[in-house]
Amino acid sequence: MSMMIVTQEKAKRLENVLDKQLVSVGVSLALLIDEAGNVIVAAGNDNGVDTTSLAALAAANFGATAQIAKLIGEEDFSILYHKGKKDNIHFSKVGKDFILVTIFTDEIPLGLVRLRVTQVAQELLDLLSES
Amino acid sequence: MALIDLNRREIHCKIVYYGPGRSGKTTNLFYIYNAVSEKYRGKLLTIETRGERTLFFDLLPINLGKIQGLNIRIQLYTVPGQSHYRATRKLVLKGVDGIVFVADSLRKRREKNIESLTDLRNNLTEYNLKLEDLPLVFQYNKRDLISSSIPILSVEELEEDLNKDIGAPYFEAAATKGIGVFETLKEISKRTVKYVARKYIFGKQITRAQGGAL
Ligand SMILES: Nc1nc2c(ncn2[C@@H]2O[C@H](COP(=O)(O)OP(=O)(O)O)[C@@H](O)[C@H]2O)c(=O)[nH]1
Ligand SMILES: [Mg+2]
């Protein structure tokens, strides 16, 4: 894929999914980004986080770990998770070309985020591949 | 991968500054960062090792103003040039829409320039892209050293080595002084936006950007 067009309607529908499934359970910020590191849609509160840099680094980070996976003979890591003192960040693949980034505090159980992220992945992918 | 966001009315394109280590890629970005008003640029993100060598990439987002009511947002990336970072360079090229090849005018870097161009071709091939099909501009950097005693390649030699079969536009530059930096940026932005827009939306004449960093 060399190009992606997001119409207003598609953006609203994608945002809606992030809102309903992730922000509603307490995820502070959910970003859907593409392989080039562009933010496609965001939901929640960015709290002044520089989402452009975050998206670029997240895409790079994913690319780098995919290479690491290859080195050690893994297919791929489809999920990355970093735990902080206050905030946690979770990255998961959505199809081949997209990444879902979620930021959440310790008040939200990781298991719940994982579950929801897995659930929304297909929904997002369906919306993204609709033309 | 260009992103056309009709919701926020933005076009996002990715331009990568490629070339051998120490040719002046990061210097280009720093100059642009310092010269563009805050209103039209994002944060400059650099991932470097100790000693100022680019480890992963540098990133500078800039806003080029509007075309047909759409804001043009360009992400400028650099790659680490040293040969052992090949895997990293390939990652940075993911989704690239336009390329600036920054060549070093130092005569002793002649082979490195050629090697780096070959490396670029190989990396693009892995994404099923061809250098000839992408917007591309050459920048022959460090022209200021002509007046020094250091042996320098002539523009003809650089053209012969790198651009003979491609025939892309080229600019002479002295990035530390800012000479040629914006000329290069303007040309590659123009070509990239045209390429993206022509190919995918308008299919008609592209007007000049209104306002913005350039
Ligand atoms: N004389 C001269 N030195 C330059 C020029 N551009 C960059 N340099 C120097 O070359 C070195 C490497 O530059 P850098 O931008 O880090 O190279 P990169 O590895 O391509 O990112 C630095 O010491 C720069 O100051 C130039 O136009 N003229
Ligand atoms: Mg550098």
Side-chain angles (χ1 to χ4, degrees):
Chain A
M1 183 185 312
S2 66
M3 175 72 171
M4 152 111 195
I5 300 180
V6 181
T7 58
Q8 198 162 15
E9 200 216 320
K10 193 183 271 190
K12 291 270 136 56
R13 287 167 71 188
L14 289 165
E15 250 172 55
N16 228 336
V17 173
L18 299 183
D19 263 329
K20 270 216 189 101
Q21 304 287 350
L22 297 167
V23 178
S24 69
V25 296
V27 164
S28 343
L29 177 64
L31 294 176
L32 182 64
I33 68 177
D34 69 16
E35 55 166 13
N38 294 309
V39 180
I40 297 169
V41 284
N45 187 348
D46 68 19
N47 276 317
V49 171
D50 174 4
T51 51
T52 307
S53 295
L54 177 62
L57 287 168
N61 194 16
F62 234 99
T65 36
Q67 293 294 320
I68 295 173
K70 258 196 205 152
L71 290 179
I72 64 167
E74 271 289 330
E75 266 297 283
D76 201 346
F77 300 114
S78 56
I79 286 176
L80 293 177
Y81 168 64
H82 301 294
K83 183 164 171 30
K85 280 216 179 73
K86 184 167 59 62
D87 284 314
N88 308 302
I89 190 160
H90 187 277
F91 307 89
S92 60
K93 276 203 122 159
V94 174
K96 227 171 86 283
D97 299 320
F98 306 96
I99 300 164
L100 177 60
V101 184
T102 45
I103 299 181
F104 53 98
T105 62
D106 275 340
E107 285 154 41
I108 327 289
L110 174 61
L112 177 60
V113 176
R114 287 232 156 123
L115 180 68
R116 288 294 169 111
V117 160
T118 319
Q119 286 170 343
V120 297
Q122 193 54 49
E123 217 174 322
L124 293 172
L125 200 56
D126 290 344
L127 283 173
L128 285 164
S129 49
E130 253 175 43
S131 50
Chain B
M1 166 163 89
L3 170 68
I4 299 189
D5 183 341
L6 298 171
N7 184 43
R8 282 172 295 183
R9 306 210 55 79
E10 293 171 350
I11 297 186
H12 295 256
C13 310
K14 176 171 184 173
I15 293 176
V16 175
Y17 282 65
Y18 212 91
R22 316 290 288 164
S23 68
K25 301 174 293 294
T26 299
T27 307
N28 267 269
L29 254 63
F30 272 64
Y31 187 84
I32 295 164
Y33 178 79
N34 286 315
V36 167
S37 118
E38 222 169 291
K39 208 170 124 199
Y40 298 120
R41 59 158 159 83
K43 281 212 184 85
L44 176 66
L45 182 71
T46 70
I47 307 181
E48 56 188 29
T49 41
R50 237 190 265 186
E52 297 176 6
R53 308 293 296 268
T54 308
L55 171 65
F56 208 149
F57 57 80
D58 309 301
L59 164 63
L60 175 62
I62 59 171
N63 182 350
L64 293 188
K66 279 189 180 168
I67 291 181
Q68 316 233 333
L70 295 174
N71 251 309
I72 311 295
R73 296 186 176 273
I74 306 245
Q75 321 259 28
L76 304 175
Y77 280 83
T78 73
V79 296
Q82 303 91 296
S83 35
H84 52 280
Y85 286 132
R86 171 154 194 274
T88 314
R89 281 192 294 279
K90 193 185 147 196
L91 282 180
V92 178
L93 279 176
K94 209 169 202 182
V96 65
D97 299 302
I99 293 168
V100 173
F101 189 90
V102 182
D104 200 323
S105 294
L106 290 176
R107 184 163 290 277
K108 66 167 192 222
R109 304 292 285 166
R110 189 168 195 171
E111 283 311 312
K112 292 284 178 209
N113 288 332
I114 298 169
E115 259 171 41
S116 174
L117 190 64
T118 306
D119 171 74
L120 171 60
R121 280 186 190 282
N122 293 340
N123 278 328
L124 288 174
T125 305
E126 292 188 35
Y127 290 125
N128 292 319
L129 293 170
K130 263 185 74 186
L131 190 57
E132 280 72 12
D133 298 340
L134 279 171
L136 168 71
V137 168
F138 283 92
Q139 182 184 80
Y140 302 139
N141 193 28
K142 308 194 185 172
R143 300 313 295 170
D144 54 307
L145 294 177
I146 260 182
S147 52
S148 72
S149 58
I150 302 167
I152 290 294
L153 292 161
S154 70
V155 168
E156 291 69 32
E157 285 170 313
L158 285 157
E159 278 284 286
E160 175 71 23
D161 282 354
L162 308 169
N163 196 15
K164 190 177 59 169
D165 300 325
I166 307 173
Y170 70 87
F171 294 92
E172 294 183 51
T176 30
K177 299 191 171 87
I179 298 167
V181 169
F182 273 92
E183 288 80 352
T184 307
L185 175 62
K186 264 186 199 161
E187 186 63 30
I188 193 59
S189 309
K190 196 176 84 189
R191 283 174 180 258
T192 304
V193 171
K194 236 188 201 164
Y195 169 81
V196 168
R198 267 257 172 81
K199 208 161 166 189
Y200 303 102
I201 24 173
F202 308 124
K204 52 183 181 200
Q205 213 185 340
I206 302 306
T207 44
R208 250 184 87 80
Q210 307 287 313
L214 300 182

